Amino acid sequence: MPTLLLRLAGPMQSWGTRSRFDERDSDLEPSKSGVIGLLCAAMGVDRNEEQPVLDLARCRMGVRVDREGVLRMDYLTAQTESGTSISRRYYLADAVFLVGLESDNITLLKKAHQALKNPVWPLWLGRKSYVPSPGVHLENGWSELSLEQALGEYCLLVEPLKNEKPLIRRFVIENSGRIGSLRMDEPRSSFAQRKFAARYVVSAYREVERVPEPTHS
């Protein structure tokens, strides 16, 4: 099945899946709900629309961590009628991810790929103030390869460290069976209703052969 590849890179990213009002968490790699939300923004899908979200949720997602981010926290306070409200907001600094979505719905993937080049609404990396830099769209981000092959064979998005050989990176791949780590981040409704289901992912370290190449977006 074909795979759509996109780049998630920027000074700050946040991919929370267990957030409460006073503490906003972030996973160490992009959540499926966050990636689908980004694609819906690019495609102009309203928060009350359900079917486009469910169609995208059927895709199998994988992530290659080209640069692990540093987990940091903003400590915020606000005055309320009952006193001082404290909020801890976690985010990843300087992370770079290659994300893949695999599906037999070729029309959907191609529509998403084109939308990333000319998004209807602004794109952000988990929070409105976290802007992607460089862009999410990859000109050569359409692949006829499977999810695992596409992630493994695409060139690195960052320059490797000096004398870094072999080039080992962390892969987090969605598993169709009940094997791996449980994530409660698969949308099962419109984003207005905010219903999510469980999925399983398997993490592994693999070698990447190709060094960065010039890309355009």
Side-chain angles (χ1 to χ4, degrees):
M1 282 190 285
T3 300
L4 169 63
L5 296 172
L6 49 147
R7 170 182 51 207
L8 300 183
M12 305 167 79
Q13 305 185 36
S14 184
W15 305 106
T17 56
R18 302 174 300 277
S19 294
R20 303 187 302 274
F21 175 76
D22 59 346
E23 184 166 309
R24 306 293 177 87
D25 72 306
S26 177
D27 289 344
L28 299 180
E29 63 277 332
S31 63
K32 190 169 187 180
S33 56
V35 171
I36 291 175
L38 184 149
L39 291 173
C40 285
M43 298 163 68
V45 177
D46 187 88
R47 286 181 57 83
N48 292 302
E49 290 186 68
E50 181 173 84
Q51 196 56 52
V53 177
L54 299 181
D55 291 342
L56 288 166
R58 293 189 186 96
C59 299
R60 191 165 67 99
M61 190 177 105
V63 178
R64 189 183 76 196
V65 184
D66 279 9
R67 184 164 66 212
E68 299 276 2
V70 178
L71 187 64
R72 298 189 181 278
M73 181 190 73
D74 280 339
Y75 184 83
L76 306 178
T77 61
Q79 294 298 320
T80 66
E81 293 182 1
S82 57
T84 302
S85 172
I86 299 173
S87 175
R88 298 174 179 85
R89 301 190 177 191
Y90 292 86
Y91 64 92
L92 294 173
D94 298 322
V96 178
F97 304 104
L98 178 68
V99 176
L101 291 168
E102 179 192 72
S103 174
D104 58 2
N105 190 338
I106 297 175
T107 301
L108 176 67
L109 290 187
K110 287 190 173 181
K111 182 179 178 181
H113 187 224
Q114 185 61 34
L116 289 173
K117 189 173 185 178
N118 298 290
V120 175
W121 295 321
L123 306 182
W124 56 78
L125 305 178
R127 292 181 190 149
K128 288 185 178 180
S129 57
Y130 296 172
V131 179
S133 176
V136 175
H137 179 265
L138 293 170
E139 196 67 44
N140 53 349
W142 176 264
S143 175
E144 297 294 340
L145 300 175
S146 69
L147 178 62
E148 288 83 356
Q149 288 177 305
L151 289 174
E153 296 186 13
Y154 198 87
C155 64
L156 285 174
L157 299 175
V158 295
E159 290 286 346
L161 299 175
K162 187 177 180 180
N163 300 323
E164 184 186 4
K165 272 292 188 177
L167 302 175
I168 303 297
R169 294 295 183 269
R170 183 165 62 92
F171 290 71
V172 183
I173 307 292
E174 186 172 328
N175 189 291
S176 55
R178 300 176 67 85
I179 298 173
S181 301
L182 185 67
R183 305 288 173 88
M184 291 294 297
D185 65 350
E186 182 162 297
R188 281 290 178 263
S189 68
S190 68
F191 281 103
Q193 293 181 323
R194 297 188 59 79
K195 296 178 182 178
F196 302 97
R199 68 186 181 106
Y200 288 83
V201 300
V202 175
S203 299
Y205 286 87
R206 292 169 48 194
E207 184 173 354
V208 179
E209 296 287 343
R210 300 177 62 193
V211 296
E213 297 176 351
T215 57
H216 306 278
S217 42

